[in-house]
Amino acid sequence: MPKFRLLATDLDDTLLNDRIEISAANRAALQKAMDLGVLVTIATGRMFRSALPVAGELGIRTPIITYQGALIKDPVTKETLWERPVPLQLARRVLEEGRRADLHINVYVEDSLFVDRITPEGTGYAKLAGVDLNPVGNLSEFLREDPIKILFVAEPGLLDKLYRELQDKFGPALYITKSKPNYLEFMHPEATKKHGLQALAQRYGIQREEIIAFGDSYNDIDMLEYAGLGVAMGNAPEEIKEKADYVTADNNEDGVAAAVRKFVLGE
């Protein structure tokens, strides 16, 4: 049995190349790891319904971590194992901040994506994630239950400024992170990839030293630091690489496969 019993990988810009595909090398390496008894999971900011086809393509049967860690769900039985939505009143305050800045806003309820209107930013996001947009007009009026996540889409510099301002405003009441330069996300404080990994590890009796995690962005930092081996992609920003234990090749050069072969398969 390999030293690592649980492998968690981010999707976009990590396991997936720039064509949003899983390379043959990445697929083969993960399959070999699973054949050895290693549990393989996805840890992504994507919706469950967006991550599910990838899980199916890889034959993953371990519960997958979605919405940054706000929802852990079994890809086979569809059983929900962990859910941490944003409290409704906080969500409405976040929506007000997005409206004030005149940004495109995504709201996620019951694994569906809602927007106030169709915009180029929303259309681009929906194409990347492979999901439908549901325009509903005023999102604050539409929202009647705790959403699983809220996302702003805008120019990176503006989001960096908003990130600092809203961190000060909301403090520990929300987990705020960037998953891509133009995506700013708002979740429950326990909705992180680290918390998701902890929940899965506890379920299977796995120690953190037995976990290997792969990521490329700011929303991956706590997962990379928590795992026994945190692997940053070659395409990750330098500050992400500095948080990792190991830097592999980039997402277009089968970086996940290279590290799995080195640390899990012993090749």
Side-chain angles (χ1 to χ4, degrees):
M1 181 71 187
K3 171 185 175 182
F4 296 105
R5 298 174 57 203
L6 174 61
L7 185 157
T9 179
D10 174 51
L11 292 183
D12 297 294
D13 303 313
T14 297
L15 178 65
L16 304 180
N17 60 28
D18 289 351
R19 296 184 300 277
I20 323 298
E21 299 168 342
I22 306 169
S23 70
N26 282 346
R27 184 182 298 107
L30 292 177
Q31 185 59 62
K32 286 182 180 179
M34 287 188 281
D35 290 345
L36 291 175
V38 177
L39 298 178
V40 172
T41 189
I42 290 165
T44 179
R46 286 188 181 214
M47 305 164 68
F48 177 77
R49 70 168 60 199
S50 177
L52 190 59
V54 180
E57 183 177 345
L58 291 171
I60 291 174
R61 303 182 67 83
T62 306
I64 59 176
I65 301 163
T66 60
Y67 293 100
Q68 309 297 1
L71 181 68
I72 301 177
K73 205 165 179 178
D74 191 302
V76 180
T77 67
K78 309 302 187 291
E79 176 190 4
T80 296
L81 307 177
W82 165 280
E83 188 169 12
R84 296 293 187 274
V86 179
L88 180 58
Q89 292 309 312
L90 267 177
R92 286 176 171 159
R93 288 175 57 196
V94 172
L95 292 177
E96 183 57 38
E97 297 290 343
R99 277 199 305 273
R100 186 177 295 119
D102 194 27
L103 303 182
H104 173 85
I105 306 171
N106 287 353
V107 174
Y108 305 81
V109 180
E110 297 292 336
D111 207 32
S112 292
L113 170 55
F114 298 94
V115 296
D116 57 358
R117 65 191 186 282
I118 302 295
T119 66
E121 295 89 347
T123 301
Y125 177 94
K127 182 179 179 181
L128 174 70
V131 297
D132 295 326
L133 291 173
N134 297 284
V136 295
N138 187 301
L139 285 167
S140 289
E141 293 179 1
F142 162 78
L143 204 55
R144 289 290 182 270
E145 60 183 284
D146 298 349
I148 198 75
K149 186 175 83 167
I150 298 172
L151 180 145
F152 294 169
V153 184
E155 188 272 328
L158 173 59
L159 291 185
D160 288 341
K161 180 174 180 290
L162 270 176
Y163 173 79
R164 293 188 293 269
E165 292 175 357
L166 298 183
Q167 281 278 44
D168 290 341
K169 180 168 288 191
F170 290 105
L174 287 173
Y175 169 50
I176 306 174
T177 190
K178 292 187 76 175
S179 55
K180 283 179 173 287
N182 57 327
Y183 291 172
L184 185 62
E185 311 204 8
F186 302 82
M187 280 79 52
H188 185 282
E190 294 181 6
T192 73
K193 294 186 180 185
K194 171 187 173 181
H195 282 102
L197 270 184
Q198 285 177 319
L200 272 189
Q202 183 176 10
R203 178 181 178 88
Y204 290 102
I206 293 172
Q207 303 302 310
R208 62 184 294 186
E209 294 79 14
E210 300 174 301
I211 301 172
I212 179 171
F214 294 82
D216 72 284
S217 196
Y218 300 92
N219 59 320
D220 297 311
I221 288 175
D222 71 340
M223 172 175 75
L224 297 180
E225 292 182 327
Y226 171 74
L229 181 67
V231 180
M233 304 303 294
N235 50 288
E238 285 304 315
E239 53 200 299
I240 309 302
K241 294 177 182 177
E242 290 171 3
K243 303 289 187 181
D245 301 302
Y246 181 78
V247 178
T248 188
D250 73 28
N251 67 310
N252 291 314
E253 297 175 337
D254 308 322
V256 169
V260 170
R261 288 195 294 262
K262 178 179 178 68
F263 293 108
V264 180
L265 305 180
E267 295 180 0

